[in-house]
Amino acid sequence: MNKPSSKVFLVDDHPLVREWLTNLIDQHDDLTVCGEAESVQQALDGISETNPDVAIVDLSLAGGSGLDVVKNVRVSRPSTAVIVLSMHDERLYAERALRAGARGYIMKRETTSNIIAAIHEVLSGKIHVSPQMNASLAEKFADGRTPNLRSPIEQLSDRELEVFQLLGQGFETRRVAQVLGVSIKTVQAYCARIKEKLELANASELLREAVRWAERTTAAN
Amino acid sequence: MIDWLKRLEQLPTAMITALTIVLMLLVGAFDYLTGVHLSVSAFYLLPVSLAAWTMGWGIGLSMAVLAVIVWTFVGSLSGDADFSTPYIIAWNAAIQLTTYIVVVTTLTTLRALQRQLEARVAQRAAALTAEIANRERLQRELLEVSEREQRRFGQDLHDGLCQHLAATAIAGQVLSEKLTARNPGEAKDARKIVDLIEQGIILSHQLAKGLHPVDMDAAGLMQALQEFAANTGELHKISCRFECDSPVLIHDPDTAGHMFRIAQEAVRNAIKHSGAKNIVIRLDTLDEGLLLLVEDDGSGIAPAPSPQPHSGMGLRIMAHRSRMIGAIFELRGGAQGGTIVSCLLPTPVQETGREQAFV
């Protein structure tokens, strides 16, 4: 009957938060805290040492972003499910965290009582986000036209791809126009088409996507 | 007249000297032609005064002497009886010379006074310009200091107090779970406490956001405006959209901060004073620079200056912030009513090699 309890690793740069999270989690028989860390490096070392089932990671850490931990764990320890627990607005960061490989996103300010439920949910292989976020993600999915099996970036024309690449390298609109020898208006038209094809809501998302893609392609080369 | 004199003063001394001598000879010729009985001695004053005004007392005096010589010479040419008596010649020449010297002295004194006055005016103007520049710098520094303080305060709230409260909420949750097993009624109270603490976190998070709205990276302004538009729409139950066709990066956090505050103030005005129901915040790249536009469909700009002395303050601060970052601020009525606030940040002349700064 007594199955071994699942191991949870905590990454947060605030000691008080770590302390009480430990108290909260240890209160449940099926969960146990196996370690904690306050920086990116400590977290990566600790996680590879203790081999936890779940890692709860804050986004703002001393000496780096929690997203780095998420990305790293996804690659090096796919069996560890990561839940991001952050003060940051889920509307801005939840999708980003999920794309980086997190299995859940909890805002520190709203869902204290959900932490345990979230841990159980990701342990059973589900994804945990707030109901609002769930709805908004579903909406986004429903909004998109027929899901294209090809990578959406492949749908970009050569010129659009060039614009996308330059944006990813941190060129702003004016510089992109200069480099390609076209007007700013033309670049904006390209941006509009790229946003449409990649189903991005706004220019910030476009930029984020472009930077992410640029990072991926440079890492691949 | 003054302009003409000023232009003359700019000429090289040799040229003015030549000019006065030619003028002197012309007057001499005129004197000769008009005959000795028609006195034209006053005409000699023209070259003499000119020399005194432009080149000072010494040369003025020389010219006066020269004028007397020419005058005497022309007189002697005429063959008049008076000019054969050395005593009369000397007397008349002396009288003439004295008159000229008085004129030359008066003129050079006047000229010196004028120069002094000009120097003093220039000095005052320079002092005033320096003072204005000083004040502007001080104002900018004050604004920056307050901005920096706010940012620090906001960050402390977010990183310190909010985290502390989050830990407290979790502690409350621990308590509430412990109580659930023993006394469900008390557990309910504990959960209530957790709710209250969470509300506290939301409040202080909003406070922190208000104090420190724009993240430090170059894409921060876009993100901050996006969030601000969403929150404003939700809070006031109106439509508030953020539009931005292509990414706008601002590398200087102070500039980004000012742009955000301008948009914030414009939106606040639109809601508070004009009862707008639709607000659009736009960030656009133009050939001339970056354009921030806030358009609303409210009652528009008041035609007369508002009665309360306080009401123009927000506008003044928006204009002031624009000036601080070198932007051009404008407030105008929209084509279909409403108000348009625009702030154009001109493209810096040199802007290369900074593209990587924001990652």
Side-chain angles (χ1 to χ4, degrees):
Chain A
M1 173 70 212
N2 253 2
K3 56 176 185 176
S5 60
S6 306
K7 289 190 283 182
V8 183
F9 192 92
L10 304 179
V11 187
D12 197 306
D13 67 343
H14 209 269
L16 214 54
V17 173
R18 288 201 306 271
E19 184 189 330
W20 281 99
L21 270 178
T22 309
N23 287 343
L24 180 69
I25 290 165
D26 282 345
Q27 217 166 226
H28 294 257
D29 296 335
D30 58 338
L31 301 173
T32 161
V33 174
C34 64
E36 52 181 62
E38 58 178 355
S39 70
V40 174
Q41 198 48 53
Q42 261 185 27
L44 295 178
D45 294 347
I47 287 172
S48 68
E49 219 170 87
T50 55
N51 194 14
D53 300 296
V54 179
I56 296 182
V57 178
D58 190 0
L59 281 183
S60 37
L61 296 177
S65 160
L67 279 181
D68 295 336
V69 178
V70 179
K71 287 181 201 160
N72 235 302
V73 169
R74 161 152 84 175
V75 176
S76 61
R77 307 206 60 82
S79 60
T80 301
V82 178
I83 298 174
V84 170
L85 175 68
S86 168
M87 196 60 79
H88 290 290
D89 199 322
E90 61 180 4
R91 285 176 298 182
L92 289 176
Y93 285 94
E95 207 185 323
R96 213 163 153 185
L98 294 185
R99 278 196 222 203
R103 301 291 296 172
Y105 192 98
I106 312 173
M107 275 203 283
K108 267 184 185 168
R109 45 186 145 136
E110 272 172 5
T111 41
T112 319
S113 54
N114 284 352
I115 295 172
I116 299 299
I119 295 175
H120 284 140
E121 233 169 284
V122 300
L123 275 175
S124 65
K126 289 189 204 140
I127 284 182
H128 176 92
V129 287
S130 74
Q132 295 94 311
M133 202 58 220
N134 217 336
S136 130
L137 288 175
E139 185 114 345
K140 223 175 213 178
F141 180 77
D143 255 2
R145 278 141 299 172
T146 351
N148 203 315
L149 290 179
R150 289 190 301 158
S151 150
I153 295 186
E154 280 173 34
Q155 301 167 41
L156 300 183
S157 73
D158 289 349
R159 208 52 164 168
E160 286 159 6
L161 190 63
E162 264 181 299
V163 172
F164 193 64
Q165 254 167 342
L166 289 172
L167 289 176
Q169 288 163 30
F171 282 57
E172 46 199 317
T173 311
R174 180 184 319 284
R175 288 277 294 145
V176 174
Q178 271 169 13
V179 171
L180 298 182
V182 296
S183 76
I184 289 174
K185 281 269 164 271
T186 312
V187 175
Q188 286 174 334
Y190 282 129
C191 286
R193 254 175 285 160
I194 299 172
K195 276 192 276 187
E196 206 174 299
K197 286 186 180 172
L198 303 190
E199 290 159 22
L200 302 170
N202 50 51
S204 321
E205 272 186 24
L206 169 61
L207 180 67
R208 213 178 292 146
E209 202 56 44
V211 170
R212 194 175 305 144
W213 188 71
E215 276 170 1
R216 251 200 328 260
T217 46
T218 45
N221 291 335
Chain B
M1 172 72 186
I2 299 294
D3 280 352
W4 174 82
L5 252 182
K6 278 247 158 66
R7 225 169 303 150
L8 202 69
E9 280 170 15
Q10 308 291 321
L11 295 176
T13 320
M15 199 183 270
I16 309 177
T17 315
L19 192 72
T20 43
I21 289 175
V22 168
L23 208 58
M24 180 87 69
L25 294 178
L26 280 177
V27 175
F30 180 65
D31 193 6
Y32 176 70
L33 290 176
T34 51
V36 78
H37 295 294
L38 206 65
S39 173
V40 294
S41 62
F43 283 74
Y44 288 99
L45 270 177
L46 188 64
V48 171
S49 318
L50 200 62
W53 184 264
T54 52
M55 290 174 293
W57 195 79
I59 295 180
L61 184 69
S62 317
M63 282 296 162
V65 173
L66 187 65
V68 172
I69 292 170
V70 172
W71 178 71
T72 314
F73 177 67
V74 168
S76 68
L77 281 185
S78 64
D80 192 273
D82 289 345
F83 283 93
S84 52
T85 323
Y87 163 70
I88 295 180
I89 295 173
W91 174 257
N92 283 352
I95 291 290
Q96 202 68 12
L97 189 63
T98 314
T99 320
Y100 289 166
I101 288 173
V102 169
V103 171
V104 165
T105 311
T106 314
L107 269 181
T108 45
T109 315
L110 210 64
R111 179 75 185 114
L113 278 177
Q114 197 212 10
R115 285 223 166 108
Q116 262 177 24
L117 197 69
E118 273 174 5
R120 205 171 303 162
V121 168
Q123 219 176 17
R124 287 279 154 85
L128 205 63
T129 315
E131 176 63 25
I132 290 172
N134 228 344
R135 290 237 172 136
E136 263 177 15
R137 211 186 51 233
L138 191 69
Q139 277 176 344
R140 184 163 34 229
E141 273 166 18
L142 272 177
L143 208 58
E144 267 166 25
V145 165
S146 90
E147 206 73 32
R148 213 173 310 137
E149 276 293 291
Q150 285 202 1
R151 211 180 295 152
R152 197 183 58 80
F153 200 60
Q155 214 136 30
D156 283 356
L157 258 182
H158 187 268
D159 298 342
L161 184 63
C162 286
Q163 301 288 345
H164 188 95
L165 285 174
T168 316
I170 299 171
Q173 179 68 24
V174 170
L175 178 68
S176 109
E177 283 182 12
K178 275 186 181 149
L179 285 174
T180 311
R182 271 187 278 160
N183 186 335
E186 285 175 11
K188 215 173 128 199
D189 286 348
R191 267 202 300 282
K192 186 75 201 152
I193 292 176
V194 174
D195 283 349
L196 289 174
I197 298 170
E198 282 176 351
Q199 281 165 25
I201 299 177
I202 293 172
L203 284 178
S204 41
H205 182 79
Q206 279 168 353
L207 207 58
K209 261 281 171 254
L211 291 169
H212 173 44
V214 183
D215 268 350
M216 284 306 200
D217 67 8
L221 181 63
M222 280 191 296
Q223 204 155 80
L225 287 175
Q226 181 92 48
E227 211 180 330
F228 172 65
N231 286 340
T232 306
E234 222 167 87
L235 192 69
H236 297 276
K237 307 273 175 274
I238 56 168
S239 148
C240 184
R241 273 183 302 141
F242 172 62
E243 287 180 1
C244 180
D245 291 333
S246 59
V248 168
L249 304 178
I250 295 185
H251 297 280
D252 177 35
D254 286 333
T255 305
H258 285 306
M259 298 278 273
F260 180 83
R261 297 281 184 206
I262 290 168
Q264 195 181 32
E265 181 65 34
V267 168
R268 198 179 297 156
N269 278 349
I271 294 171
K272 220 164 136 190
H273 300 301
S274 74
K277 288 282 164 256
N278 290 287
I279 301 176
V280 177
I281 306 170
R282 270 195 75 79
L283 206 52
D284 210 352
T285 311
L286 304 179
D287 290 321
E288 308 87 284
L290 292 180
L291 181 67
L292 169 73
L293 274 183
V294 178
E295 290 177 67
D296 68 57
D297 64 346
S299 56
I301 323 165
S306 260
Q308 310 104 312
H310 197 65
S311 64
M313 204 56 197
L315 263 186
R316 271 211 292 279
I317 291 177
M318 283 196 276
H320 183 68
R321 286 184 189 280
S322 303
R323 245 194 335 272
M324 293 288 111
I325 56 175
I328 302 153
F329 177 79
E330 199 192 25
L331 177 85
R332 56 175 194 271
Q336 282 108 35
T339 311
I340 301 175
V341 170
S342 85
C343 174
L344 177 71
L345 185 69
T347 318
V349 189
Q350 261 298 341
E351 201 184 315
T352 44
R354 296 186 62 185
E355 284 82 21
Q356 293 299 329
F358 79 102
V359 189

